[in-house]
Amino acid sequence: MSYKGFATASAIAFALALSVGTGAAQTAVKDDFKPSSLNQPGQEYPQVNSQGYARFRVMAPDAKSVAVTLGLGGSGGTVLTKGADGAWTGTTTGPLDEGFHYYHLKMDGGVFNDPGTQNYYGSVRWESGIEIPAHDQDFYALKNVPHGNVQQILFNSPSTNTQRRAFVYTPPGYDKDQSTRYPVLYLQHGWGEDETAWSVQGHENLIMDNLIAEGKAKPFIIVNVYGMTNDVKFGKAFSFDMKPFQTVLVNELIPYVDANFRTLADQPHRAMAGLSMGGMETKAIAPANLNVFSRIALLSGGTFGPEDVTPDFKAKVKLVFVSFGSREIPDGKTGFPGAPKIDPKANIEALKKLGINAYFYVSPNTAHEFLSWRRSLHELAPVLFKD
Amino acid sequence: MSYKGFATASAIAFALALSVGTGAAQTAVKDDFKPSSLNQPGQEYPQVNSQGYARFRVMAPDAKSVAVTLGLGGSGGTVLTKGADGAWTGTTTGPLDEGFHYYHLKMDGGVFNDPGTQNYYGSVRWESGIEIPAHDQDFYALKNVPHGNVQQILFNSPSTNTQRRAFVYTPPGYDKDQSTRYPVLYLQHGWGEDETAWSVQGHENLIMDNLIAEGKAKPFIIVNVYGMTNDVKFGKAFSFDMKPFQTVLVNELIPYVDANFRTLADQPHRAMAGLSMGGMETKAIAPANLNVFSRIALLSGGTFGPEDVTPDFKAKVKLVFVSFGSREIPDGKTGFPGAPKIDPKANIEALKKLGINAYFYVSPNTAHEFLSWRRSLHELAPVLFKD
């Protein structure tokens, strides 16, 4: 199976180019910088101020050049300058978008991580990360509420002849009430990321814990597994062969999860969703396996239109959810350069008219980044298994 | 409570100084280098050859100096040299000890990680890691056997006013057989590490999975939590105040685990162990809480002697286990510089004569590093809850 759908790798690359920070440069930078919440223990830098500016400091007295790949859109990053103490410092020329950003150092012609902060798997490498506090960060804050667990599982995969890793979020109370069974969402990361993304930078567990504590979502299980299509070079995305991944997911992982967790092991209670490339995978795999999945969500990873609504689709799909960051669709349209543009909101409205239970969401003032996807999960979870 | 015992921070610092690699330099370095098993996806360096030499390669054309903190004992590391392609390369002057080693780059006067490999929390920072394949690595290999899960839990800690993280290994079959209850080992990391150490670089889950599959150990639960004494500067270790950590462990974490997992929630089925500083914590906390713990293990973290065997200790302690890496006790003795040396093996023999169920183990040809502790867990697990 080769994926020929709309939400292609090129579209994703285009969205990535639109990515971090589009605010205009400001003259008055407030002097209230604090260490980023993602810093390593005891590390003072990088820092963030109340306006969303980021400030970096890297000790390397003998370096010839140090830059950070994070800055305003199109600027190519932030060049650091060396002080008398041998530390290289620099501040972004304007505020960054709220939320989580990957970055790294370009130093002396090589690529390194900022020793001040923790690492997150993105761009097929462990990257540095920084968090610009979002005005709505409370929905993924670590609070004194009942917590679910994130379980690392290892399952046998005959098709790849490996023992493979996945993460399973089990909701609060899962271990105590042995009579309850739960629906399951299979939730995929994006290109360059892996199965750690949703529980680490995505905060899927905290988003669910908080929604459940507030009575806004019914508990369900979430499963994250590596979407092996990362192994294909990005430029060849048009010919992504999703069959090996589909085999692992549908024939190996799902049976393992259903055998080892208290799932509601049927199509009405099983969903698939993904961000970016994970959305491409979802659109390729879920509609082709409507005996397995009934609920489908694409997060910055394409859309569904009337052309997708076959009789089988109409009979078996119980929910469609499509979302974007607002900066990905500045004119309300999505599409890769040179191809016809599509209005995803109009598409979802058309689906509703065809009788599909469909939702559309746009994350305000965010790009192709994790705050868009945290918010998308927060919007999706309350409705995912409702009808 | 201040800990005044024998296995002090100075002893640990001394052991660290003895640490990596003591093999003599060899003339014929075999040209069979392969990427380390810990490398990031697609990364060719660092590499290891069949003799245990490590070779590094870091791209940084404009750097002034690049060195690696890994080399033969006392050498201070391996200095890299720049090639015509702008890459800095270098090979250790002799074979390193088998097993896992932390390291980092010293580059242009700063501290950075090797972009080729993954990161592991040690030395109060995320360090680079390399693995020299051990001749006995099979016991912690990822195999096609039934696997337990490693669960991230978040528990409420009123004493610190935080939600704290711990990891819980539940053995294979834990979810399927709801009638079985399990003993629990509380297993602590060392100084500079955190609650991730035992399940990541320690492979506690794979060691247990394999032992259980071979019928060599009965299943038990393992819990790893952050030993907060890291927050105290290393030089002040003599006055480590363990009370805040003891409160979190005994009053908050243990009740949470007993309420949320199917434990055998009594003293005979509860053990505490730790490596290095975690051993110090164990020796301070377990004997002071013999209504909570019955089995006590110190891994490169001190020893027990006849002076520890009070009537209460003799009545309530069901197992004592002490282990070291052979390079930590080259003359069979342990102790910090300037203090009287102690023979831990003789100490354990003395305990046996006093009627204590005691074990002593030395890991061959390893120092104050994780292969010593992987092997120690492998020796401990079969006997821990046997008698």
Side-chain angles (χ1 to χ4, degrees):
Chain A
M1 172 175 59
S2 287
Y3 179 62
K4 304 288 187 186
F6 170 70
T8 65
S10 292
I12 293 165
F14 179 67
L16 284 167
L18 283 175
S19 202
V20 185
T22 59
Q26 300 185 9
T27 45
V29 180
K30 288 189 185 171
D31 192 21
D32 58 357
F33 286 88
K34 293 177 185 168
S36 160
S37 60
L38 307 184
N39 284 5
Q40 295 195 29
Q43 295 295 317
E44 288 294 310
Y45 286 85
Q47 298 191 338
V48 181
N49 83 350
S50 60
Q51 299 161 297
Y53 285 72
R55 180 167 287 173
F56 303 90
R57 184 177 191 275
V58 177
M59 179 58 71
D62 298 334
K64 193 173 168 188
S65 65
V66 184
V68 168
T69 56
L70 202 55
L72 298 197
S75 72
T78 301
V79 175
L80 308 188
T81 55
K82 191 167 79 168
D85 60 351
W88 295 74
T89 57
T91 304
T92 55
T93 55
L96 301 176
D97 280 346
E98 293 182 339
F100 174 84
H101 307 295
Y102 296 108
Y103 74 100
H104 57 252
L105 304 181
K106 291 190 286 189
M107 179 171 157
D108 288 346
V111 170
F112 298 91
N113 282 329
D114 184 341
T117 186
Q118 298 183 84
N119 301 142
Y120 303 86
Y121 199 69
S123 308
V124 201
R125 72 181 298 276
W126 287 90
E127 290 266 278
S128 300
I130 192 170
E131 184 86 29
I132 310 298
H135 71 282
D136 57 348
Q137 63 183 324
D138 188 67
F139 79 83
Y140 53 87
L142 176 58
K143 300 180 189 177
N144 185 8
V145 298
H147 294 294
N149 298 346
V150 176
Q151 307 197 26
Q152 175 189 282
I153 65 169
L154 298 168
F155 64 102
N156 185 36
S157 167
S159 72
T160 59
N161 196 28
T162 56
Q163 305 290 299
R164 303 191 74 82
R165 182 173 71 165
F167 291 96
V168 178
Y169 167 79
T170 51
Y174 177 85
D175 287 304
K176 282 190 179 170
D177 177 5
Q178 297 292 340
S179 63
T180 306
R181 291 184 164 271
Y182 298 86
V184 186
L185 165 63
Y186 290 83
L187 181 58
Q188 291 302 124
H189 61 84
W191 175 83
E193 298 170 340
D194 70 8
E195 65 272 23
T196 63
W198 268 107
S199 60
V200 180
Q201 52 266 49
H203 297 318
E204 62 177 16
N205 55 326
L206 302 180
I207 293 168
M208 292 302 301
D209 290 350
N210 291 339
L211 281 171
I212 292 165
E214 294 171 9
K216 291 181 179 169
K218 289 183 183 172
F220 56 84
I221 290 168
I222 304 178
V223 181
N224 313 126
V225 70
Y226 179 60
M228 288 182 295
T229 40
N230 268 0
D231 296 333
V232 178
K233 294 287 182 198
F234 194 48
K236 294 188 182 172
F238 278 102
S239 59
F240 268 9
D241 180 4
M242 296 215 185
K243 204 141 202 171
F245 173 56
Q246 178 179 283
T247 300
V248 169
L249 175 66
V250 174
N251 300 353
E252 296 171 349
L253 177 59
I254 290 177
Y256 183 91
V257 169
D258 284 338
N260 288 279
F261 291 87
R262 294 196 317 281
T263 62
L264 290 163
D266 55 17
Q267 187 261 7
H269 298 95
R270 198 178 291 121
M272 184 172 180
L275 71 88
S276 192
M277 186 193 77
M280 293 171 57
E281 295 173 359
T282 300
K283 191 171 177 183
I285 291 171
N289 292 273
L290 290 180
N291 55 330
V292 178
F293 301 103
S294 60
R295 296 144 201 279
I296 311 173
L298 313 180
L299 285 49
S300 306
T303 184
F304 281 104
E307 70 280 10
D308 297 307
V309 184
T310 62
D312 198 42
F313 190 98
K314 185 161 171 28
K316 293 180 176 169
V317 171
K318 297 190 178 302
L319 176 135
V320 165
F321 178 99
V322 167
S323 70
F324 290 93
S326 69
R327 300 205 199 287
E328 299 183 275
I329 49 169
D331 59 354
K333 303 280 178 61
T334 182
F336 59 93
K341 289 261 180 179
I342 288 179
D343 180 337
K345 185 179 183 186
N347 255 0
I348 291 297
E349 292 303 321
L351 256 63
K352 286 181 186 173
K353 282 183 186 151
L354 291 171
I356 304 292
N357 178 36
Y359 294 83
F360 182 65
Y361 170 70
V362 177
S363 165
N365 303 317
T366 60
H368 199 73
E369 295 196 277
F370 244 107
L371 185 54
S372 299
W373 307 320
R374 292 173 185 163
R375 286 175 177 163
S376 294
L377 177 60
H378 181 249
E379 296 293 317
L380 172 64
V383 298
L384 182 57
F385 292 105
K386 201 175 71 173
D387 302 307
Chain B
M1 174 176 59
S2 288
Y3 180 61
K4 304 285 188 190
F6 170 70
T8 63
S10 292
I12 292 164
F14 180 67
L16 284 168
L18 282 175
S19 203
V20 185
T22 59
Q26 299 187 8
T27 45
V29 180
K30 287 189 185 171
D31 192 22
D32 57 357
F33 285 88
K34 292 176 186 168
S36 160
S37 60
L38 307 184
N39 284 5
Q40 294 195 30
Q43 294 296 315
E44 288 294 308
Y45 286 85
Q47 298 191 337
V48 181
N49 83 352
S50 61
Q51 298 162 297
Y53 286 74
R55 180 167 288 172
F56 302 90
R57 185 177 190 275
V58 176
M59 179 58 71
D62 298 334
K64 192 173 169 188
S65 65
V66 183
V68 168
T69 56
L70 202 56
L72 297 198
S75 72
T78 301
V79 174
L80 309 188
T81 55
K82 190 166 78 167
D85 61 351
W88 296 74
T89 57
T91 304
T92 54
T93 54
L96 302 176
D97 281 344
E98 295 182 338
F100 174 85
H101 307 294
Y102 296 108
Y103 73 100
H104 57 253
L105 304 180
K106 292 189 286 189
M107 181 172 155
D108 288 346
V111 170
F112 298 90
N113 283 330
D114 184 341
T117 187
Q118 298 182 86
N119 300 143
Y120 302 86
Y121 198 69
S123 308
V124 202
R125 70 180 301 274
W126 287 91
E127 289 267 278
S128 301
I130 192 170
E131 183 85 29
I132 310 298
H135 71 281
D136 57 347
Q137 63 183 324
D138 188 68
F139 79 83
Y140 53 87
L142 176 58
K143 300 179 190 178
N144 185 9
V145 298
H147 295 294
N149 299 347
V150 176
Q151 308 197 26
Q152 176 190 282
I153 66 169
L154 298 169
F155 64 100
N156 185 37
S157 168
S159 73
T160 59
N161 195 27
T162 57
Q163 305 290 298
R164 303 193 73 82
R165 181 172 74 165
F167 290 96
V168 179
Y169 167 79
T170 51
Y174 177 85
D175 287 305
K176 282 190 178 171
D177 178 6
Q178 298 290 341
S179 63
T180 305
R181 290 183 165 271
Y182 299 86
V184 186
L185 165 63
Y186 291 82
L187 181 58
Q188 290 303 122
H189 61 84
W191 175 83
E193 298 170 339
D194 69 9
E195 66 273 23
T196 63
W198 267 108
S199 60
V200 180
Q201 51 268 48
H203 297 318
E204 63 178 16
N205 56 325
L206 302 180
I207 293 168
M208 292 302 300
D209 289 350
N210 292 339
L211 281 171
I212 292 166
E214 293 171 10
K216 291 181 179 170
K218 288 183 184 173
F220 56 84
I221 290 169
I222 304 178
V223 181
N224 313 126
V225 71
Y226 179 59
M228 290 182 294
T229 38
N230 268 359
D231 296 336
V232 178
K233 294 289 182 197
F234 194 48
K236 293 188 182 172
F238 277 102
S239 59
F240 267 8
D241 181 5
M242 297 215 184
K243 204 142 202 168
F245 172 57
Q246 178 179 283
T247 300
V248 169
L249 176 66
V250 174
N251 300 353
E252 296 171 348
L253 176 59
I254 290 177
Y256 183 91
V257 169
D258 284 337
N260 287 279
F261 291 86
R262 294 196 317 282
T263 62
L264 290 163
D266 55 18
Q267 187 261 9
H269 298 96
R270 199 179 291 119
M272 184 172 180
L275 72 89
S276 192
M277 185 193 77
M280 293 171 56
E281 295 173 1
T282 299
K283 191 171 177 184
I285 291 171
N289 291 273
L290 290 180
N291 55 330
V292 178
F293 302 102
S294 60
R295 296 145 201 279
I296 311 173
L298 313 179
L299 285 49
S300 305
T303 183
F304 280 105
E307 70 279 9
D308 297 308
V309 185
T310 62
D312 198 41
F313 190 98
K314 185 160 172 24
K316 292 180 178 170
V317 171
K318 298 191 178 301
L319 176 136
V320 165
F321 179 100
V322 167
S323 70
F324 289 93
S326 68
R327 299 205 199 288
E328 298 183 275
I329 48 169
D331 59 353
K333 303 279 178 64
T334 182
F336 61 92
K341 289 262 180 177
I342 288 179
D343 179 336
K345 187 179 181 185
N347 255 1
I348 292 298
E349 292 303 321
L351 256 63
K352 286 182 186 173
K353 283 184 185 150
L354 292 172
I356 304 292
N357 177 35
Y359 294 84
F360 182 64
Y361 170 70
V362 176
S363 165
N365 303 315
T366 59
H368 199 73
E369 295 195 279
F370 245 108
L371 186 53
S372 299
W373 307 319
R374 292 173 185 163
R375 286 176 178 162
S376 294
L377 177 59
H378 182 250
E379 295 293 317
L380 173 65
V383 298
L384 182 57
F385 293 105
K386 202 175 71 173
D387 301 306

